[in-house]
């Protein structure tokens, strides 16, 4: 299985802050790396697919970058609805795997 | 509008089996894999397995293999998750998810089914 190390596990930030979350995979995944935001009590929402592609309807403050084994999600200016938990996911090889999650708190 | 609608919450006893349904609409159901993802209370997301509705081809996570079975009824655009030998640690929210507009990732999710396993 491909292991994913996501960091940090949690962070505290303020409205308007720039936030960066990283995922490192145990082997190269050909950019099959996706990012989700999950608000409490809700299903996850896809933000970024294939490392750097902004999903339709997702605000442009979200961006993804990276290649090989190292990937980054950046939120350029944190908004109130962004206080949530973020997950990365690799879909290169079955079993698909998720990172452990990053909780973004006020 | 693409929708995945799951069956409701259930309470099960240890040792029992569960079956959760996920009905797709608003897209060509047979064109895209449907996956199941588990989320234990306060924990992260775990991919359990998936099915290709066109031919019922499945693949499972080793973490669940042997206890999980995913099936499909194309006539009613519904996928099922069966989990046997339930334990208290199977208490979780179970989500179905698919991709219908992107090349990878899950752009559509069911609302989740809360399963509680308790004696």
């Amino acid at each position: 299985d491909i292991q994913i190390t996501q960091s940090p596990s949690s962070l505290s930030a303020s409205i308007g802050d720039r936030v960066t979350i990283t995922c490192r995979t145990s082997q190269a995944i050909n950019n099959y790396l996706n990012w989700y935001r999950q608000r409490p009590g809700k299903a996850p929402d896809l933000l970024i697919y294939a490392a750097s592609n902004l999903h339709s309807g997702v605000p442009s403050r979200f961006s993804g970058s990276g290649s090989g084994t190292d990937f980054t999600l950046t939120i350029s200016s944190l908004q109130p609805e962004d206080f949530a938990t973020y997950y990365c996911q690799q879909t290169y090889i079955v079993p698909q795997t998720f990172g452990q999650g990053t909780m973004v708190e006020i | 509008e693409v929708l995945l609608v799951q069956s409701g919450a259930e309470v099960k006893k240890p040792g029992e089996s569960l079956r959760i349904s996920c009905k797709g609409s608003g897209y060509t159901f047979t064109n895209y894999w449907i996956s199941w993802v588990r989320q234990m209370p306060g924990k992260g997301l775990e991919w359990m397995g998936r099915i290709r509705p066109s031919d019922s081809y499945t693949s499972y996570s080793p973490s669940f293999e042997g206890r999980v079975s995913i099936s499909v009824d194309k006539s009613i655009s519904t996928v099922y998750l069966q989990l046997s030998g339930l334990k208290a640690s199977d208490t979780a929210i179970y989500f179905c998810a698919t991709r219908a507009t992107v090349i990878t990732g899950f752009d559509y999710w069911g609302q989740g089914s809360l399963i509680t396993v308790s004696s």
Side-chain angles (χ1 to χ4, degrees):
Chain A
D1 299 6
I2 293 178
Q3 310 303 315
I4 301 180
T5 303
Q6 184 174 343
S7 61
S9 56
S10 65
L11 64 90
S12 296
S14 300
I15 302 295
D17 282 356
R18 182 181 182 90
V19 167
T20 299
I21 299 168
T22 64
C23 281
R24 173 166 289 175
T25 56
S26 58
Q27 64 185 77
I29 57 170
N30 200 24
N31 288 1
Y32 278 79
L33 193 286
N34 314 301
W35 291 97
Y36 300 87
R37 176 182 63 186
Q38 186 179 31
R39 297 167 182 161
K42 301 293 186 181
D45 295 315
L46 180 65
L47 301 173
I48 302 289
Y49 65 93
S52 61
N53 295 275
L54 190 68
H55 181 42
S56 175
V58 174
S60 59
R61 64 181 179 272
F62 293 95
S63 63
S65 63
S67 63
T69 61
D70 292 300
F71 302 90
T72 299
L73 173 71
T74 299
I75 310 171
S76 61
S77 177
L78 208 60
Q79 298 302 300
E81 60 269 31
D82 299 334
F83 292 95
T85 301
Y86 294 80
Y87 295 94
C88 59
Q89 175 205 27
Q90 69 80 18
T91 48
Y92 182 58
I93 286 178
V94 168
Q96 298 176 4
T97 45
F98 289 91
Q100 301 90 335
T102 296
M103 182 179 295
V104 176
E105 303 172 297
I106 299 175
Chain B
E1 180 191 11
V2 175
L3 284 177
L4 295 175
V5 179
Q6 299 182 223
S7 49
E10 297 189 55
V11 178
K12 294 289 190 179
K13 296 189 183 312
E16 291 184 338
S17 297
L18 74 85
R19 190 177 85 154
I20 309 170
S21 65
C22 170
K23 182 175 177 61
S25 62
Y27 72 109
T28 305
F29 178 76
T30 52
N31 279 6
Y32 302 103
W33 295 83
I34 290 183
S35 287
W36 287 94
V37 175
R38 183 171 85 170
Q39 188 166 40
M40 297 164 63
K43 301 299 183 182
L45 304 169
E46 297 176 88
W47 184 84
M48 301 178 70
R50 66 179 183 177
I51 190 165
R52 188 165 59 199
S54 59
D55 61 3
S56 300
Y57 182 81
T58 56
S59 58
Y60 300 109
S61 168
S63 300
F64 298 94
E65 198 139 23
R67 286 207 303 140
V68 67
S69 176
I70 301 173
S71 59
V72 62
D73 185 337
K74 289 188 290 186
S75 69
I76 55 171
S77 300
T78 298
V79 167
Y80 301 94
L81 171 73
Q82 290 186 252
L83 190 61
S84 61
L86 290 172
K87 302 170 278 191
S89 56
D90 291 316
T91 294
I93 298 174
Y94 293 80
F95 294 100
C96 60
T98 192
R99 65 171 181 88
T101 66
V102 292
I103 59 170
T104 190
F106 301 145
D107 52 352
Y108 290 98
W109 294 70
Q111 81 276 21
S113 299
L114 174 62
I115 304 300
T116 303
V117 182
S118 173
S119 55

